Structures are given as C-alpha cells and as structure tokens.
C-alpha cells in the first residue's frame, strides 16, 4: 500500500516534469524565434544605413567625374595651345634651358618652379582631399604632394598667375 | 549598381533568417522525437 502511494507520487512527479520540460522547450523555441527576428531587424537597419552611405558616395563619384570633365576641357585647350605656341616662338629665339612648353609653372614660397601639369593635378587632388601624408589609407596614387617641401604644407603652392606684379 | 548590391545583401539577411528558423524547426523536431 505504501509502495502504491509512492508509485502514484512518482507518476505524478514525472507528469509534472514532462509538462515543465515541454513548457521550457516551447518557451526557448519562442525566444529563439524572437531573437532571430530581432537580429534580422537589426541587420536590415544596418543595411539601410549602409545603403544611404553608398548612395551618398555614388553622388560624390558623379560629382568627381563632372569635375574631371571640366579639367579635361581645360586640358584640351592647354594641349592645343602648347602645339600652337611651339610654332609661334619668335624668330631668332629659343626656349630657355630647362623650360618646356609642356610644363606649367607655379610658386612655392614665392619661388617659381617648373610644374608638369600632372604634378599640379596630383597636388590639387592631394591638398583638396586633405590627405595628411602620401600613402594614407585609400588614397589614389594620382593624389601626391607637389614636392617634399610641401608634403605637410600644401598651402605653400600657388599658381604662377598669382605672383605679385613686378 | 549600388541598388543591385544592396538587394544582394538584403537577400543574404533574409536567407540568414530562413536558415535560423529552419535550424530552430529542426531542433524542435529532434526534441519532439526524443520526448
């Protein structure tokens, strides 16, 4: 009789245990699904932030290309005039030693420097993009300081046309 | 190009959610078998 009572208690306890286990599994499954949904919402939010920055960057690339187009129009004129200038050199004269009509000219600390056009373009990209030093992460190889002396002070570089008139 | 790129990433996130749910389903199925 005592054993029968114990058996009944064991059966009842096992039943409770089964119910508790079942409830635990249901709850943990529901938690896991909620966690997945929250994770998905977080990731979609991260994606929307990413997409917004990507769109902004695309707009800047377009703007960059528009600027390059304007530069190219000037470059076309520079090339045409370079060829014409060569033929226009007055009779009995020659280009001074070390000078080339293919170069531009610029001032560094008010001193004239021969400046190949591609060096000027690289220097403008370098200082306009506020690159701190050559080889900074993600910089174009085409963005370079004009000279060693202007690596950390790009503002020293001025167009030749800015020189004070004598 | 960017829109396509973002669509691909969104697809990866949705696919990830489906895989996670499938894993939960499989686990629940195994537990039911054991019970």
């Amino acid at each position: 009789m005592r054993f029968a009572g114990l058996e009944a208690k064991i059966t009842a306890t096992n039943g409770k245990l089964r119910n508790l286990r079942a409830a635990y599994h249901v709850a943990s499954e529901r938690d896991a699904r909620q966690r997945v949904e929250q994770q998905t919402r977080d990731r979609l939010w991260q994606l929307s932030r990413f997409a917004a920055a990507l769109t902004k960057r695309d707009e800047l690339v377009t703007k960059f290309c528009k600027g390059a187009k304007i530069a190219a129009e000037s470059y076309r004129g520079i090339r045409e005039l370079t060829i014409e200038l060569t033929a226009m050199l007055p009779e009995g004269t020659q280009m001074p030693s070390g000078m080339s009509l293919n170069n531009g000219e610029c001032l560094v600390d008010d001193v004239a420097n021969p400046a190949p056009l591609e060096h000027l373009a690289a220097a403008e990209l370098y200082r306009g993009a506020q690159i701190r030093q050559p080889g900074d992460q993600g910089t174009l190889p085409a963005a370079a300081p004009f000279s060693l002396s202007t690596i950390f002070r790009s503002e020293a570089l001025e167009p030749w046309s800015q020189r004070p008139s004598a | 190009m960017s829109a396509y790129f973002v669509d691909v990433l969104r697809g990866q996130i949705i696919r990830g959610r489906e895989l996670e749910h499938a894993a939960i389903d499989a686990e629940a199925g195994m537990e039911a078998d054991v019970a």
Side-chain angles (χ1 to χ4, degrees), chain A residues 50-83:
Chain A
F50 178 84
L54 199 62
T55 303
K56 176 77 184 157
R57 189 181 183 282
D58 281 349
E59 286 167 8
L60 291 171
V61 170
T62 304
K63 196 175 165 188
F64 181 87
C65 289
K66 280 182 181 164
K69 192 182 167 196
I70 293 170
E73 283 163 8
S74 297
Y75 179 49
R76 183 179 159 191
I78 290 168
R79 286 182 62 212
E80 285 169 2
L81 281 173
T82 301
I83 294 163

Side-chain angles (χ1 to χ4, degrees), chain A residues 74-87 89 95-96 98-106 113-121 146:
Chain A
S74 297
Y75 179 49
R76 183 179 159 191
I78 290 168
R79 286 182 62 212
E80 285 169 2
L81 281 173
T82 301
I83 294 163
E84 286 176 28
L85 278 167
T86 309
L89 206 59
M95 288 294 290
M99 288 189 72
S100 161
L101 283 171
N102 289 307
N103 285 352
E105 210 160 12
C106 69
N113 283 262
L117 204 54
E118 63 267 31
H119 289 197
L120 288 178
F146 180 72

